[in-house]
Amino acid sequence: MVTVDRPTRGYRVFQGVNGLILTGVVVVTLYPFLNIVARSFSGERQIRAGEVTLWPKGFNLTTYEIVFQDATFWRNYGNTVFYTVVSTAVAMLLTTCYAYVLSKKHLRGRGILVGVAVFTMFFSGGLIPTYVLITSLDLKNTVWALALPNAISVFNLLVMKAFFESLPDELEEAAQIDGLSTYGTLLRIVLPLSKAVVATMVLFYSVSFWNSWFGAFLYLDRAELMPVTVYLRNLIAGATGGTGAGAGTEQLTQVAANIQAVTIVLTALPILCVYPFVQRYFVSGVMLGAVKG
Amino acid sequence: MSTSTTPAPPPGTQGPSPARAAPRPARRPAPTGRRRALRRDWQLYSLAVLPLLFFLVFRYLPMIGNVIAFRRFEPGGSILGEQWAGLRYVEMFLTDPTFWQVFRNTLWIGGLTLLFCFPVPIVLALLLNEVRTRALKRFVQSVSYLPHFLSIVIVAGITLQMLATDGPVNHVLGWFGQDPVRFIQEPEWFRTIYVGSEIWQTAGWGTILYLTALTTIDDDLYEAARIDGANRWRQIWHVTLPGIRPTMITLLILNIGTFLAVGFEKILLLYNPLTYQTGDVISTYLYRTGVESNSFSYAAAIGLFEAVIGLVLITSANLLSRRTVGTSLW
């Protein structure tokens, strides 16, 4: 936008400095992550000596083998996949239905229905009453304790509603004149036209369910039910429990640090794989949400 | 508009919907009303049943459930408590020295987060906005968004690894002849660690809204400023910053509103008994008293207190900004 005038000397200096600062930002953001990846492939001795920076030193896959042989890890990894799939399915069902209803401008009571949802963005019941509720509904130790309380994200709901509103009314009117019911219109006309937004929402929800840990930590009691995020959390908590130092424990923590690095990498892997594809949608979703909310 | 499957609705009862017929005031469509809307749109309403049930049970019931802050609750009993206890639990936490300790910690961590995490995205957005190479800009953005997508457990794990006694940070300190610091176990480091990791995770993502706001600024304004002899700094000061002011204020209000609800999950992951002294905040304390020690009514009272303060904060910030700069959330 400001390319008309010739850059002054001072501005060129500024550009250089700016480039340096932003390079610094990139380095600071990426370094910890690359370091963890490097550590996960490194030997314990090299890590302890502080030799590992961006590249694995003493390359080996032993730690990966140790983690892969841990039955609990695999089980928890599988649990994460299962919880993510179920929770996302429930969330998509409820969010799509409600967003479609809210997008019908002629609907009587629409304002109230919108208000019911938006109000919960500003006020919530709080941790304890929610915990008491889930416990007394007997949802503990089931996937429903994770899926049901988070079935609708109001932010996602508003994004989807905005998309449905942008579809031409005439199309649905035509479908109904041709004899389709509301359900039929939604399933056979609206949803096929909304593949983009549906895909985006599936990604939004699944990333957030994949990343979540606290619900599982609260509502699941047994190790074999945990998602991998809680597995990782337990590793971290074990390593920082403040137990005294000593030659033996030092050795153990070091192994633990190696295992932590591997688990971090494996837990983040699916997110990193979809990241290049989702980033764009997330950004446009945030902007849409900001305009609407 | 009609959801009826009958091809030809009897004239008068259906036809144009009431909203569209409104400009003709001669006779109000008589049979309009709830029942008619229900008959016409029952299929739509039926789609709303499950979502409404969700909001009712998982959002509104817990709000009502807060009455256990004033009633005695017994595990396994009614979620609304057994009998009235008055302000007993409120008095309990007001006279609890640990509560005041965590209250102070919350103010400290919340204040530092606001002070550091709020301006960083603005500065970063302004810097990114000056980048002329599109590819470079895209690259920096993509990289800086990345930590936002990672689970908070991963962020905590990375933070702890970086700060471990043999981690990179201590390694760098070693170059300067410093002894390794046990960051994780030192109470005086907790706030720095928390705020630092918060910036690492959120700064890039926080620029999105500012960058969007920056693209909406009219180029003519820059043109005019240049003709008036403004150099780039003055252009930033007089055009760019006022241009993103509404966004800044909106986000500031939101930040102030969530001031007390400081990163509960992250603190839970980063702190340990050795750093409770500076790291324990209201929400972690109420988690420990409520869920770990089963004092549900007591914890609910603390939670309610926190929510009320949050509400007062966001409402007053909103009012203040409407009075002073004319921008507000509602």
Side-chain angles (χ1 to χ4, degrees):
Chain A
M1 83 209 141
V2 218
T3 39
V4 192
D5 54 350
R6 270 232 309 275
T8 60
R9 221 184 93 129
Y11 189 63
R12 281 204 303 272
V13 172
F14 167 77
Q15 286 286 13
V17 173
N18 191 14
L20 280 180
I21 296 175
L22 291 178
T23 313
V25 169
V26 168
V27 170
V28 169
T29 313
L30 275 188
Y31 181 80
F33 201 76
L34 295 176
N35 181 257
I36 293 285
V37 177
R39 276 168 170 239
S40 74
F41 290 108
S42 294
E44 291 163 45
R45 200 175 48 75
Q46 285 84 350
I47 293 182
R48 209 177 324 165
E51 287 171 10
V52 180
T53 50
L54 284 177
W55 212 245
K57 293 276 165 61
F59 183 89
N60 70 75
L61 295 168
T62 328
T63 327
Y64 278 90
E65 277 166 28
I66 296 174
V67 174
F68 282 155
Q69 277 162 12
D70 182 354
T72 317
F73 172 80
W74 280 119
R75 211 175 166 139
N76 291 355
Y77 213 83
N79 287 342
T80 296
V81 175
F82 174 67
Y83 296 152
T84 304
V85 170
V86 173
S87 305
T88 306
V90 172
M92 284 310 293
L93 177 73
L94 292 192
T95 308
T96 311
C97 286
Y98 209 52
Y100 183 65
V101 174
L102 296 187
S103 72
K104 292 283 152 269
K105 292 219 167 73
H106 75 274
L107 193 73
R108 209 184 152 91
R110 176 174 172 268
I112 299 170
L113 294 181
V114 174
V116 163
V118 171
F119 183 74
T120 62
M121 283 178 110
F122 295 98
F123 303 94
S124 76
L127 173 69
I128 301 299
T130 311
Y131 178 83
V132 168
L133 175 76
I134 303 291
T135 314
S136 54
L137 286 177
D138 265 336
L139 296 179
K140 267 192 135 183
N141 291 322
T142 67
V143 60
W144 308 116
L146 312 180
L148 295 181
N150 302 307
I152 295 180
S153 137
V154 178
F155 175 80
N156 290 356
L157 179 76
L158 294 179
V159 171
M160 216 169 175
K161 163 178 167 278
F163 184 89
F164 285 149
E165 278 169 358
S166 71
L167 293 174
D169 283 348
E170 291 75 16
L171 210 66
E172 289 176 56
E173 278 166 30
Q176 303 199 324
I177 288 167
D178 287 348
L180 273 179
S181 67
T182 302
Y183 306 140
T185 318
L186 176 59
L187 283 176
R188 302 195 15 209
I189 309 290
V190 175
L191 284 182
L193 287 171
S194 312
K195 282 190 193 106
V197 79
V198 168
T200 313
M201 289 297 129
V202 167
L203 283 171
F204 275 35
Y205 273 122
S206 42
V207 168
S208 82
F209 285 121
W210 183 280
N211 281 337
S212 70
W213 71 285
F214 189 61
F217 181 67
L218 267 185
Y219 302 124
L220 307 178
D221 290 336
R222 295 194 300 276
E224 73 264 24
L225 293 176
M226 296 300 181
V228 71
T229 41
V230 178
Y231 178 91
L232 177 58
R233 180 263 163 199
N234 291 340
L235 279 185
I236 296 171
T240 60
T243 44
T249 44
E250 196 77 358
Q251 182 78 18
L252 274 176
T253 20
Q254 192 47 58
V255 177
N258 248 10
I259 292 179
Q260 271 187 47
V262 170
T263 316
I264 288 174
V265 171
L266 292 174
T267 311
L269 199 60
I271 302 289
L272 294 177
C273 291
V274 294
Y275 178 69
F277 308 103
V278 296
Q279 193 220 120
R280 199 155 49 94
Y281 293 108
F282 269 99
V283 172
S284 54
V286 166
M287 292 192 278
L288 192 60
V291 174
K292 292 282 149 189
Chain B
M1 298 308 259
S2 161
T3 55
S4 156
T5 46
T6 41
T13 56
Q14 276 188 318
S17 68
R20 296 217 179 144
R24 303 186 57 185
R27 50 190 154 86
R28 289 214 56 79
T32 193
R34 272 188 212 114
R35 287 178 58 188
R36 215 188 86 154
L38 199 61
R39 196 165 61 219
R40 188 189 56 200
D41 290 324
W42 68 269
Q43 287 186 321
L44 272 177
Y45 288 116
S46 71
L47 287 175
V49 169
L50 281 179
L52 279 175
L53 208 61
F54 157 79
F55 281 114
L56 196 72
V57 174
F58 292 104
R59 291 291 179 269
Y60 288 93
L61 207 54
M63 288 183 204
I64 302 167
N66 270 311
V67 297
I68 66 165
F70 308 104
R71 290 167 69 85
R72 217 184 63 213
F73 170 81
E74 272 159 24
S78 157
I79 64 161
L80 299 182
E82 304 301 326
Q83 68 205 36
W84 290 102
L87 295 176
R88 184 161 162 257
Y89 298 108
V90 177
E91 278 165 26
M92 244 165 96
F93 77 72
L94 289 178
T95 54
D96 174 357
T98 319
F99 171 78
W100 290 109
Q101 155 100 5
V102 301
F103 187 69
R104 274 196 304 276
N105 285 345
T106 311
L107 292 184
W108 260 108
I109 295 181
L112 289 172
T113 310
L114 199 61
L115 190 67
F116 289 102
C117 295
F118 176 70
V120 170
I122 301 174
V123 175
L124 197 56
L126 290 177
L127 292 178
L128 278 168
N129 194 45
E130 296 294 328
V131 175
R132 292 285 158 268
T133 328
R134 261 188 86 80
L136 178 69
K137 187 176 169 184
R138 290 275 303 272
F139 175 71
V140 177
Q141 281 181 281
S142 300
V143 168
S144 66
Y145 296 164
L146 178 62
H148 172 86
F149 289 90
L150 298 176
S151 171
I152 202 146
V153 186
I154 294 177
V155 173
I158 291 179
T159 308
L160 296 177
Q161 290 260 305
M162 291 299 111
L163 298 171
T165 26
D166 51 17
V169 174
N170 268 317
H171 194 60
V172 171
L173 286 180
W175 294 345
F176 298 100
Q178 299 272 335
D179 287 333
V181 181
R182 303 175 76 91
F183 291 102
I184 306 307
Q185 284 143 29
E186 306 278 1
E188 57 266 40
W189 277 103
F190 188 84
R191 291 165 186 157
T192 318
I193 294 170
Y194 174 81
V195 174
S197 77
E198 196 70 7
I199 292 177
W200 184 74
Q201 195 187 359
T202 59
W205 189 248
T207 59
I208 293 180
L209 293 177
Y210 293 113
L211 286 170
T212 317
L214 283 170
T215 60
T216 62
I217 299 175
D218 196 341
D219 279 355
D220 293 349
L221 291 174
Y222 287 102
E223 186 84 14
R226 263 203 311 280
I227 291 168
D228 288 348
N231 64 20
R232 286 194 191 261
W233 295 110
R234 297 196 76 86
Q235 286 173 33
I236 288 180
W237 187 254
H238 292 291
V239 181
T240 313
L241 282 178
I244 58 172
R245 195 171 66 178
T247 313
M248 278 163 63
I249 289 167
T250 310
L251 290 177
L252 188 62
I253 297 172
L254 285 173
N255 276 334
I256 291 174
T258 53
F259 184 92
L260 285 193
V262 284
F264 168 59
E265 290 191 19
K266 191 184 271 176
I267 293 184
L268 211 56
L269 290 165
L270 285 179
Y271 80 170
N272 60 61
L274 294 172
T275 47
Y276 279 178
Q277 193 189 333
T278 50
D280 202 10
V281 292
I282 298 180
S283 45
T284 50
Y285 180 58
L286 84 84
Y287 162 76
R288 285 209 315 280
T289 46
V291 179
E292 285 183 358
S293 321
N294 286 321
S295 314
F296 291 101
S297 287
Y298 182 51
I302 301 176
L304 202 54
F305 174 78
E306 190 187 9
V308 168
I309 293 191
L311 197 61
V312 170
L313 280 174
I314 196 168
T315 319
S316 31
N318 193 47
L319 192 74
L320 197 68
S321 96
R322 193 169 56 207
R323 290 271 167 79
T324 52
V325 286
T327 315
S328 62
L329 284 181
W330 62 84

